[in-house]
Amino acid sequence: FEYDGFPNTLEWLIFTTNELKKKKAKFIIKSHPNFYRKTSIKGINERAEWDKKIYTKFLRDMVEDDSILAINEPLLNYELAKYLDNQKCIVITKHGTVQLEMIFHNFKVITSKSNMLDPKYSLTNTWTNKSEYRNLLEMNWNELKFADKNEFFSVMKYLFLNDEMCYG
């Protein structure tokens, strides 16, 4: 994806954590499901192993904080969504597919414009640089927008009901 103010996901994660701590927000950091993949997919397992090592080191280096819940085990997003209040919680992802799941569950979502989804769709609250991202993180829940459901279903149809697409 294009540059969005962060050269890699780790720098984005550190920045996000620090900004949310400054705001005194309570938040969850969830590991990527590829970290626990049992089947081998060429290239994915090796990258996932490296990412898991980086994530584990990040968690070890992170100062203990009661406002942060770190999930370092496999947990399906729809299971997690059952325990969260979509009228208070905000989902933040750099570019993960979790955005689609959480939009479906009626959460407000913050993502990078450098994403798998075309920014022309009004699905998430997006940033193109660190300054815009910091501004989004400083907003309250009621200042952020929900996804346009019609555009969401158009994107879902295109991604999942299209034989030409990788998810089709």
Side-chain angles (χ1 to χ4, degrees), residues 31-48:
S31 58
H32 195 281
N34 277 350
F35 295 175
Y36 312 101
R37 184 182 292 278
K38 300 288 186 225
T39 57
S40 180
I41 299 176
K42 186 177 178 155
I44 290 180
N45 287 49
E46 187 177 340
R47 284 191 306 273

Side-chain angles (χ1 to χ4, degrees), residues 12-13 16 22 28 34 42 62 65 76 98 108 124 140 146 149 166:
W12 165 78
L13 182 59
T16 303
K22 281 188 223 171
I28 298 169
N34 277 350
K42 186 177 178 155
M62 190 173 53
D65 190 325
L76 297 172
V98 64
K108 293 180 178 185
T124 66
N140 293 319
F146 282 107
K149 286 296 183 162
C166 62

Side-chain angles (χ1 to χ4, degrees), residues 100-113:
L100 297 172
E101 293 173 81
M102 296 315 230
I103 290 168
F104 178 79
H105 290 290
N106 296 311
F107 285 88
K108 293 180 178 185
V109 179
I110 296 174
T111 65
S112 169
K113 275 191 181 174

Side-chain angles (χ1 to χ4, degrees), residues 128-157:
T128 59
N129 58 55
K130 274 188 185 180
S131 178
E132 288 178 5
Y133 184 48
R134 183 179 284 113
N135 289 340
L136 286 172
L137 292 176
E138 289 173 357
M139 288 183 176
N140 293 319
W141 182 90
N142 58 351
E143 296 174 295
L144 297 168
K145 65 180 173 136
F146 282 107
D148 178 297
K149 286 296 183 162
N150 289 328
E151 290 188 8
F152 172 72
F153 289 118
S154 292
V155 168
M156 296 304 285
K157 180 180 175 186

Side-chain angles (χ1 to χ4, degrees), residues 28-93:
I28 298 169
I29 300 173
K30 183 180 170 294
S31 58
H32 195 281
N34 277 350
F35 295 175
Y36 312 101
R37 184 182 292 278
K38 300 288 186 225
T39 57
S40 180
I41 299 176
K42 186 177 178 155
I44 290 180
N45 287 49
E46 187 177 340
R47 284 191 306 273
E49 278 300 313
W50 277 107
D51 286 344
K52 184 176 182 179
K53 288 176 185 175
I54 292 166
Y55 178 74
T56 302
K57 182 181 180 325
F58 166 79
L59 291 181
R60 264 195 327 266
D61 294 346
M62 190 173 53
V63 177
E64 284 292 318
D65 190 325
D66 290 341
S67 64
I68 304 169
L69 171 61
I71 300 175
N72 197 15
E73 58 188 52
L75 178 65
L76 297 172
N77 293 323
Y78 77 87
E79 288 293 333
L80 180 59
K82 291 178 191 178
Y83 298 100
L84 302 175
D85 184 347
N86 63 7
Q87 298 300 305
K88 292 180 183 174
C89 295
I90 301 163
V91 175
I92 304 169
T93 181

Side-chain angles (χ1 to χ4, degrees), residues 151-165:
E151 290 188 8
F152 172 72
F153 289 118
S154 292
V155 168
M156 296 304 285
K157 180 180 175 186
Y158 179 73
L159 288 175
F160 294 99
L161 300 177
N162 180 346
D163 290 337
E164 305 289 319
M165 293 302 297

